């Protein structure tokens, strides 16, 4: 027999299995609760969009769009014999699609498509889900990764919005037990002042070109701001001497940034200003920010975001719509929680039911259903087991209790409940059992 190919998850993707998946669900649940307490509401977006949407918003010259997207041509499917003959006609699309590398572009697209600018006030939306970038995988960097993101779109760009978004983010991180986070902020100006600064920067960069590596040399012409992102040690002394955007902001941007800092102080939020925080996506204006956390190695940004006031218009939407948001890298948030050792108490298996004898089976099925209805996690093994073996299994599965139903219990209409931590055993009637376990569950 030919040996069968064994499949493995594709490089850069991974399975999130129990028990980790419980921590993921807990984190995403905490995120939902926190974001909803600030009146953000969930939006569920497609996983793929027209490639052009990302090219126009994130920017065709960025690494994300030029190198990292998973793009496919839906029309090509019709010509691929391995897909067989389809019994329906595929609609001709004419453009390529891409798996989303991020979701801000999709939120802006949805905002325009559904005329959300006609709704009163700013729209506060959040999303939870996978994103795709063909980056070199390493710790904290995957090709399918997950984000929790929040976006505010609407007529106002008040710095209070920026500050509230940052407050919300830090409240979530604190609640989730993320260790040692640092918030970095910057303002990268607007379409009035940034182009002028970029020219000043380019001029200065040309003068020191010889001291820079090939990537930065290329970026002098394509996107000089990205030189500021460089982590190459030999470039650092050169970069530190470059002109800083804070000295080139227009009056309106300077005031916006200064009011943002006042708003952060009002909320007791500490931050570091980082003039080199330009971010790798083209849609940003004014406020940019990142949060780093410890225990993540080189991929230590657990969240990134900023303002994108012109994006809706750039995508063919109404003029004057402002935007700000962030995306948390869930993979990294989870890593940081795990490395910080500050793990939450997550509900696990409460009760394993051990039964012996034919008459015990219907009793076990019945009580299992009642216990589950009380919110307890119950394992009812499909076969009967000697009590010693069942207790061993309960122990291995991490159950808090074993519920024993043997001939004696059936005859006396009682249950024997054994607490595994200290082997304490009680005989209880059904009502006593339900009451006892309910109160145990409530007290955690
Ligand atoms: P971003 O900085 O590209 O921004 O991604 C946000 C976060 O996603 C990063 O800080 C990181 O934690 C996580 N992340 C990015 N790439 C990977 C990867 N390959 N593997 C694991 N985690 C990753 C955005 O995506 C913007 N859409 C954020 C935003 C929303 N700006 C305004 N609104």
């Amino acid at each position: 027999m030919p040996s069968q190919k064994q499949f493995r998850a594709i490089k850069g993707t991974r399975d999130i299995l129990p028990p980790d998946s419980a921590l993921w669900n807990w984190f995403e649940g905490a995120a939902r609760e926190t974001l909803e307490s600030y009146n953000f509401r969930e939006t569920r977006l497609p996983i793929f969009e027209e490639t052009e949407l990302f090219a126009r918003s994130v920017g065709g010259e960025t690494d994300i769009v030029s190198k990292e997207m998973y793009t496919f041509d839906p029309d090509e499917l019709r010509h691929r014999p391995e897909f067989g003959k389809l019994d329906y006609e595929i609609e001709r699309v004419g453009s390529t699609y891409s798996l989303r590398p991020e979701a801000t572009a999709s939120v802006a697209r949805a905002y325009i498509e559904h005329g959300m600018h006609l709704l009163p006030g700013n729209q506060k939306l959040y999303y939870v889900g996978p994103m795709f970038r063909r980056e070199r995988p390493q710790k904290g960097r995957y090709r399918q990764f997950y984000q929790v993101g929040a976006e505010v779109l609407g007529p106002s760009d008040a710095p209070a919005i920026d500050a509230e978004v940052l407050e919300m983010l830090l409240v979530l991180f604190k609640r989730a037990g993320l260790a040692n986070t640092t918030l970095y902020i910057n303002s990268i100006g607007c379409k009035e002042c940034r182009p002028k600064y970029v020219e000043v920067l380019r001029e200065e960069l040309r003068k020191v070109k010889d001291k820079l590596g090939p990537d930065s040399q290329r970026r002098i012409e394509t996107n000089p701001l990205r030189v500021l992102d460089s982590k190459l040690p030999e470039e650092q002394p050169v970069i530190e001497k470059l002109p800083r955007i804070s000295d080139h902001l227009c009056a309106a941007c300077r005031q916006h940034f200064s009011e943002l800092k006042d708003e952060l102080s009002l909320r007791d939020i500490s931050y570091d200003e980082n003039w080199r925080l330009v971010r790798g996506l083209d849609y940003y204006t004014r406020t940019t920010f990142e949060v780093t956390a410890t225990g993540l190695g080189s991929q230590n940004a657990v969240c990134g975001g900023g303002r994108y006031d012109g994006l809706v218009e750039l995508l063919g939407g109404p003029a004057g719509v402002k935007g700000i948001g962030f995306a948390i890298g869930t993979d990294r948030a989870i890593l940081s929680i795990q490395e910080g050792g500050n793990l939450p108490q997550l509900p696990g298996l409460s009760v394993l039911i051990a039964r012996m004898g034919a008459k015990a089976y219907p009793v076990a099925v019945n009580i299992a259903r009642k216990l589950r209805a009380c919110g307890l996690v119950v394992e009812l093994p499909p076969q009967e087991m000697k009590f010693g073996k069942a207790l061993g299994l309960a122990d291995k599965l991490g159950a808090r209790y074993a519920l024993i139903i043997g001939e004696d219990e059936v005859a006396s209409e009682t249950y024997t409940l054994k607490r595994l931590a200290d082997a304490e055993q009680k005989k209880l009637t059904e009502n006593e059992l339900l009451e006892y376990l309910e109160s145990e569950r409530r007290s955690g």
Side-chain angles (χ1 to χ4, degrees), residues 158-222:
I161 301 174
D162 309 35
E164 192 181 74
V165 160
L166 288 167
E167 177 190 302
M168 174 170 86
L169 182 62
L170 298 177
V171 164
L172 169 60
F173 283 168
K174 184 149 186 233
R175 181 167 175 183
L178 249 87
N180 295 327
T181 54
T182 309
L183 167 66
Y184 295 94
I185 60 167
N186 190 22
S187 172
I188 58 164
C190 63
K191 63 177 190 297
E192 301 303 321
C193 53
R194 194 179 36 220
K196 292 181 198 150
Y197 168 69
V198 169
E199 273 324 302
V200 173
L201 184 64
R202 184 176 278 133
E203 277 309 304
E204 287 306 307
L205 283 167
R206 282 181 183 144
K207 291 184 203 158
V208 292
K209 188 170 176 182
D210 297 347
K211 297 188 184 140
L212 300 171
D215 279 345
S216 292
Q217 289 196 356
R218 196 170 26 83
R219 287 181 175 143
I220 297 177
E221 301 313 320
T222 56

Side-chain angles (χ1 to χ4, degrees), residues 64 102-104 127 133 135 140-142 145 147 150-151 279 281 283-284 301-306 308 325-329 331-332:
I64 295 178
E102 62 106 53
T104 309
Y127 49 86
R133 295 183 195 173
E135 296 190 80
R141 190 159 78 192
Y142 309 98
F145 61 98
Q147 286 186 342
E151 314 286 354
R279 314 250 318 120
L281 299 89
Y283 50 60
Y284 289 115
V302 76
C303 174
Y308 46 87
F326 64 73
I328 298 167
D331 306 75
R332 295 184 192 174

Side-chain angles (χ1 to χ4, degrees), residues 71-348:
T71 296
F72 58 98
D73 178 353
D75 291 334
E76 203 191 296
L77 294 177
R78 323 195 250 187
H79 311 300
R80 298 269 287 270
E82 63 268 38
F83 288 103
K85 195 177 155 349
L86 293 170
D87 55 5
Y88 55 91
E89 183 58 13
I90 297 183
E91 171 199 350
R92 254 206 90 73
V93 178
S95 57
T96 62
Y97 294 163
S98 294
L99 295 185
R100 60 181 188 189
E102 62 106 53
T104 309
S106 303
V107 173
R109 195 254 322 126
Y111 181 87
I112 299 166
E113 183 171 340
H114 302 287
M116 290 166 95
H117 63 288
L118 300 172
L119 300 171
N122 282 345
Q123 293 305 302
K124 297 159 86 174
L125 303 168
Y126 78 86
Y127 49 86
V128 178
M131 309 290 155
F132 305 86
R133 295 183 195 173
R134 196 180 191 135
E135 296 190 80
R136 189 142 32 87
Q138 63 179 87
K139 182 182 174 191
R141 190 159 78 192
Y142 309 98
R143 292 181 168 175
Q144 174 171 338
F145 61 98
Y146 295 80
Q147 286 186 342
V148 172
E151 314 286 354
V152 184
L153 289 119
S156 171
D157 63 355
I161 301 174
D162 309 35
E164 192 181 74
V165 160
L166 288 167
E167 177 190 302
M168 174 170 86
L169 182 62
L170 298 177
V171 164
L172 169 60
F173 283 168
K174 184 149 186 233
R175 181 167 175 183
L178 249 87
N180 295 327
T181 54
T182 309
L183 167 66
Y184 295 94
I185 60 167
N186 190 22
S187 172
I188 58 164
C190 63
K191 63 177 190 297
E192 301 303 321
C193 53
R194 194 179 36 220
K196 292 181 198 150
Y197 168 69
V198 169
E199 273 324 302
V200 173
L201 184 64
R202 184 176 278 133
E203 277 309 304
E204 287 306 307
L205 283 167
R206 282 181 183 144
K207 291 184 203 158
V208 292
K209 188 170 176 182
D210 297 347
K211 297 188 184 140
L212 300 171
D215 279 345
S216 292
Q217 289 196 356
R218 196 170 26 83
R219 287 181 175 143
I220 297 177
E221 301 313 320
T222 56
N223 192 351
L225 282 177
R226 293 306 311 279
V227 176
L228 305 182
D229 260 353
S230 159
K231 306 251 170 2
L232 289 182
E234 57 277 21
E235 294 186 345
Q236 303 311 307
V238 183
I239 294 174
E240 277 307 309
K241 291 201 201 89
L242 292 169
R244 302 185 171 204
I245 187 140
S246 48
D247 299 325
H248 295 265
L249 293 177
C250 63
C253 286
R254 206 170 319 127
Q255 186 178 348
H256 191 274
F257 195 37
S258 145
E259 284 177 26
L260 167 62
K261 288 184 269 185
D262 292 344
E263 287 276 354
L264 292 177
S265 304
L266 174 72
R267 293 167 161 82
D268 276 332
I269 295 174
S270 44
Y271 56 85
D272 281 355
E273 269 185 67
N274 177 2
W275 70 278
R276 289 173 59 178
L277 186 64
V278 290
R279 314 250 318 120
L281 299 89
D282 280 357
Y283 50 60
Y284 289 115
T285 53
R286 292 191 167 171
T287 314
T288 54
F289 56 87
E290 259 174 31
V291 178
T292 60
T294 49
L296 293 174
S298 64
Q299 303 303 311
N300 66 350
V302 76
C303 174
R307 221 168 232 296
Y308 46 87
D309 292 342
L311 179 60
V312 165
E313 191 174 355
L314 184 73
L315 294 177
V321 176
K322 314 292 196 308
I324 181 166
F326 64 73
I328 298 167
T330 311
D331 306 75
R332 295 184 192 174
I334 298 288
L335 265 174
S336 179
I337 295 169
Q338 285 170 331
E339 309 246 334
N342 212 350
L343 293 173
Q345 267 284 342
L346 297 172

Side-chain angles (χ1 to χ4, degrees), residues 5 54 125 200-201 273 316 368 371 377 420 439:
K5 172 178 168 172
F54 302 115
L125 303 168
V200 173
L201 184 64
E273 269 185 67
L371 292 171
V377 181
L420 288 149
S439 76

Side-chain angles (χ1 to χ4, degrees), residues 367-439:
I367 195 70
R369 189 169 44 215
K370 287 184 179 160
L371 292 171
R372 286 168 177 150
C374 295
L376 293 153
V377 181
V378 176
E379 180 65 26
L380 173 60
Q383 70 287 31
E384 62 170 58
M385 256 185 257
K386 296 229 159 56
F387 288 137
K389 206 171 157 207
L391 288 175
L393 178 65
D395 205 37
K396 272 192 224 137
L397 296 180
R400 285 181 79 168
Y401 295 97
L403 186 68
I404 297 165
I405 312 172
E407 275 171 20
D408 281 0
E409 283 81 5
V410 173
S412 60
E413 295 189 4
T414 56
Y415 297 86
T416 300
L417 184 70
K418 184 169 180 132
R419 185 159 59 204
L420 288 149
D422 57 6
E424 192 199 58
Q425 207 159 297
K426 290 182 191 318
K427 250 196 176 345
L428 301 165
T429 63
E430 179 175 311
N431 278 346
E432 286 165 348
L433 174 74
L434 291 172
E435 224 164 79
Y436 175 79
L437 287 177
E438 258 273 40
S439 76

